[in-house]
Amino acid sequence: MADEQKDVSRRDFLKTAGVATGTLVGGGVIGGLIGYNMKGSGTKTADGTGDRSGGRKDESAGSPNGRMFFTNDHDFAVLTEATERIFPEDDLGPGAKGLGVPFFIDHQLAGAYGNNEKEYMQGPFLAGEATQGYQSRLRRKEIFVQGIHKMDEEAKKRFDKSFVDIDGDQRDEVITAFQKDEVEMEGVAAGFFFRLLRSATLEGAYSDPMYGGNRGMEGWKMKQFPGHQMAYIDKVDSKDFQKISPESLGGQH
C-alpha cells in the first residue's frame, strides 16, 4: 500500500511474490488448522457460540465456505473488503473475495494460528525491533478483531461512513494509515496488524483449497503452479515446457 508499491503491477507481483505456492505447512499461517476440525468437529467459535454462515448455502460449519470464528456479520464484511483491497480482482483472475481468502483467515483464527498455540507468550512485553518477530501480549485472533474494529472506526472518523460503505480509494487510505502506524492500537502496533493481514491474505490466495482459500485453485492457475502432484516421473525427461493442471491435497484437479 506504500506509494512506492503502487507502481508495481499485479502481473509483476504474481511473478515474484515470496508467498508463491501454498506449500508452507506448519509454522506459518497455512499450518494453523492442520489437525484442527478436519472432520468438521470442534466448530464452536472463539466466544463459545455456534457457527455463523456468511450467506452462502454451502457455508455450513466445517466446510471451506463456512465461518468458524467470526460471529458478527459486519466484522466479517470489513475483513472481506480489506482483503480485496490488498489482493483485488483484475484481468488476471479473481481477488481475495473470489478466492475465498476471508474464509481462510476466519478458519485460521479459529485454530492454532489464531490462538498462538505452541508459541512463547510470556512477558515481558516490550516494543521489539522489526527483526524480532512476534512481540505482542495479544493473540492473533485478538489482534485481528481489534484491527477490524479500529479499521471501521478510522473510516467513520475520516469519512463518516463504515469501512464497508466507503469507496476503494478511501479504503486504501485507511489501510495505508495502518501500514504507516498512524492509527493507535492497544497492545500492538497498527503496522504489525497490517503485516499480519497482508501476510494472511497472500497465504490465503495461494494455500491449498482444503484450507478455505485459493478457491478453484485459481491462485495457483494465475502463477501456473501445479499444486501437489503425485509424481513428475513421466515428465522429467521431456525437453519441452510442461503445462500441468494443478491438483490439491484434497483431490481437486
Side-chain angles (χ1 to χ4, degrees), residues 45-63:
T45 53
D47 61 0
T49 61
D51 299 289
R52 294 285 301 277
S53 73
R56 292 166 56 99
K57 291 182 179 179
D58 58 346
E59 285 170 9
S60 58
S63 77

Side-chain angles (χ1 to χ4, degrees), residues 2-249:
D3 293 339
E4 62 268 23
Q5 292 177 318
K6 292 183 178 179
D7 294 330
V8 180
S9 70
R10 187 181 181 199
R11 184 178 300 277
D12 290 336
F13 171 78
L14 288 172
K15 290 179 180 178
T16 60
V19 186
T21 63
T23 57
L24 303 177
V25 179
V29 176
I30 293 172
L33 277 183
I34 291 178
Y36 177 88
N37 198 34
M38 297 304 292
K39 301 297 184 181
S41 60
T43 56
K44 284 190 176 182
T45 53
D47 61 0
T49 61
D51 299 289
R52 294 285 301 277
S53 73
R56 292 166 56 99
K57 291 182 179 179
D58 58 346
E59 285 170 9
S60 58
S63 77
N65 299 315
R67 277 153 49 187
M68 301 177 185
F69 178 75
F70 286 98
T71 59
N72 184 289
D73 293 339
H74 183 73
D75 288 353
F76 189 72
V78 172
L79 172 69
T80 298
E81 298 303 333
T83 59
E84 184 70 13
R85 295 311 298 172
I86 293 172
F87 198 95
E89 178 180 3
D90 64 9
D91 59 336
L92 294 178
K97 290 182 185 179
L99 291 170
V101 168
F103 290 100
F104 169 85
I105 295 176
D106 171 88
H107 294 183
Q108 297 301 311
L109 293 178
Y113 169 81
N115 288 289
N116 295 71
E117 293 182 8
K118 298 183 179 179
E119 295 182 38
Y120 185 82
M121 293 294 292
Q122 302 300 314
F125 298 102
L126 304 174
E129 301 296 329
T131 57
Q132 289 184 292
Y134 203 97
Q135 296 292 312
S136 176
R137 71 177 185 274
L138 302 177
R139 300 185 183 277
R140 291 187 187 90
K141 63 183 181 182
E142 296 171 315
I143 294 175
F144 267 84
V145 170
Q146 182 188 170
I148 288 170
H149 291 170
K150 290 286 186 178
M151 200 174 291
D152 210 34
E153 290 174 11
E154 190 68 18
K156 292 175 181 176
K157 183 171 71 174
R158 291 173 182 249
F159 308 110
D160 199 29
K161 292 181 180 179
S162 168
F163 187 85
V164 299
D165 295 324
I166 57 180
D167 62 35
D169 289 340
Q170 292 171 329
R171 288 173 184 166
D172 289 348
E173 181 179 323
V174 171
I175 294 172
T176 301
F178 279 81
Q179 183 189 22
K180 294 181 177 180
D181 272 331
E182 296 174 353
V183 179
E184 191 72 26
M185 292 184 64
E186 296 180 7
V188 66
F192 185 74
F193 165 64
F194 167 80
R195 291 190 293 275
L196 280 181
L197 176 62
R198 181 180 183 275
S199 177
T201 298
L202 296 180
E203 294 194 39
Y206 297 124
S207 70
D208 191 283
M210 70 184 296
Y211 299 111
N214 190 17
R215 187 175 290 156
M217 294 179 286
E218 292 297 326
W220 288 350
K221 291 174 184 177
M222 284 188 277
K223 294 185 69 67
Q224 298 185 17
F225 174 67
H228 303 283
Q229 301 288 321
M230 291 294 292
Y232 298 93
I233 194 169
D234 58 332
K235 300 178 177 64
V236 293
D237 292 330
S238 176
K239 296 180 180 180
D240 299 324
F241 176 79
Q242 299 292 310
K243 188 171 183 180
I244 305 172
S245 297
E247 293 187 10
S248 76
L249 289 171

